[in-house]
Amino acid sequence: MPAATQLTDVLKTLADPTRRAVFERIAREGEIAATGLVQGSKVSQPAVSQHLRALRDAGLVAERREGRHIHYRIAPKGLGPLIDWLGHYETFWAERFANLERLLKESE
Amino acid sequence: MPAATQLTDVLKTLADPTRRAVFERIAREGEIAATGLVQGSKVSQPAVSQHLRALRDAGLVAERREGRHIHYRIAPKGLGPLIDWLGHYETFWAERFANLERLLKESE
DNA sequence: CAATCATATAAGCAATTGCTTATATATTTT
DNA sequence: AAAATATATAAGCAATTGCTTATATGATTG
């Protein structure tokens, strides 16, 4: 797949607030089953399922089946296209980047 | 405006390939008038104008009027919400982040 | 196997999106 | 002021999106 297409998919996938909330919750929990995501969600089970499909298709999450549960986790490489693209704009956000750099250092 | 709304706007705005191409061209050129953007574009003048409006509304570009031309440039802070959001996922892309870090160092 | 639980898919629908053509608004030039 | 140039807005339309309800598939339990 062309890199631009992958980037478009990642951006489109994360652009929807509901879907992004699902992604963020998976990140927070580390690993969580679809059932858990449906609980405490504003939308229906099919809606969550459709968002999970979109996230998976975009390469943003990975799944692990365990019995009748499917556990989702963040796919580390998923944000790659976005980060690579942002890399082209370093010069514009060098200052902010420096802050992230500091945070990273501190967390080591 | 809530931070989440701003992020959603930035993501939605960049998610469209045509509009993102406009943004990238502005970044490449440094500064360019709308006319210049229309030339060599696949879409019509109104389409470009609409994309420019969206980019401006999202805070991604700034404009400077000069006679009857309007020159566009990247708004450095525009990508801020996106970069801040990605900051929460440092741990997932620390390796890739390190590369960006090195690039930044080299460019100093 | 039958019932149950977890997840996915199908179908339909209102809302949004990105484009077009046509027209309006600024700004400059003659 | 009239004509030309640069940009924006309006209106309309096909395509896409995100949701719903209803149903199907997968997997476990009794």
Side-chain angles (χ1 to χ4, degrees):
Chain A
M1 203 194 311
T5 304
Q6 267 184 281
L7 175 58
T8 297
D9 287 348
V10 169
L11 287 168
K12 276 191 166 163
T13 303
L14 294 173
D16 180 71
T18 308
R19 188 160 48 233
R20 197 171 64 246
V22 170
F23 177 82
E24 288 172 348
R25 185 137 173 242
I26 294 172
R28 248 182 286 119
E29 305 276 358
E31 207 179 50
I32 182 173
T35 318
L37 289 167
V38 170
Q39 288 177 338
S41 167
K42 288 285 182 187
V43 298
S44 67
Q45 176 268 319
V48 172
S49 183
Q50 285 157 19
H51 285 312
L52 288 171
R53 189 194 216 292
L55 287 167
R56 176 165 30 83
D57 288 352
L60 288 165
V61 301
E63 50 183 59
R64 177 179 63 85
R65 177 141 225 158
E66 193 180 293
R68 46 189 171 188
H69 289 84
I70 298 181
H71 298 266
Y72 286 88
R73 63 182 184 283
I74 298 300
K77 291 179 183 170
L79 291 173
L82 181 49
I83 290 157
D84 289 347
W85 182 79
L86 279 173
H88 298 142
Y89 301 95
E90 289 164 50
T91 52
F92 292 110
W93 44 274
E95 196 174 324
R96 212 172 286 256
F97 183 82
N99 285 337
L100 282 182
E101 185 183 43
R102 184 174 44 72
L103 284 172
L104 185 65
K105 284 269 168 54
E106 283 170 0
S107 70
E108 275 170 1
Chain B
M1 202 193 313
T5 304
Q6 267 183 281
L7 174 59
T8 298
D9 287 348
V10 169
L11 287 168
K12 276 191 166 163
T13 303
L14 294 174
D16 180 70
T18 308
R19 188 160 48 233
R20 198 171 63 246
V22 171
F23 177 83
E24 288 172 349
R25 186 138 172 241
I26 295 173
R28 247 183 285 119
E29 306 276 358
E31 207 179 49
I32 182 173
T35 318
L37 289 167
V38 170
Q39 288 177 337
S41 168
K42 289 285 183 189
V43 298
S44 67
Q45 177 268 319
V48 172
S49 183
Q50 285 157 18
H51 285 312
L52 288 171
R53 188 194 216 295
L55 287 167
R56 177 164 30 82
D57 288 353
L60 287 165
V61 302
E63 51 184 54
R64 175 178 65 84
R65 176 141 224 159
E66 193 180 293
R68 45 187 170 189
H69 288 85
I70 299 181
H71 297 266
Y72 286 88
R73 62 182 185 282
I74 297 301
K77 292 180 183 169
L79 291 172
L82 182 48
I83 290 156
D84 289 348
W85 183 79
L86 279 172
H88 298 142
Y89 300 95
E90 289 166 52
T91 52
F92 291 110
W93 44 275
E95 195 176 323
R96 210 173 289 256
F97 183 81
N99 286 336
L100 283 181
E101 185 183 43
R102 184 174 44 72
L103 285 172
L104 184 66
K105 283 268 168 54
E106 283 168 1
S107 70
E108 275 169 2

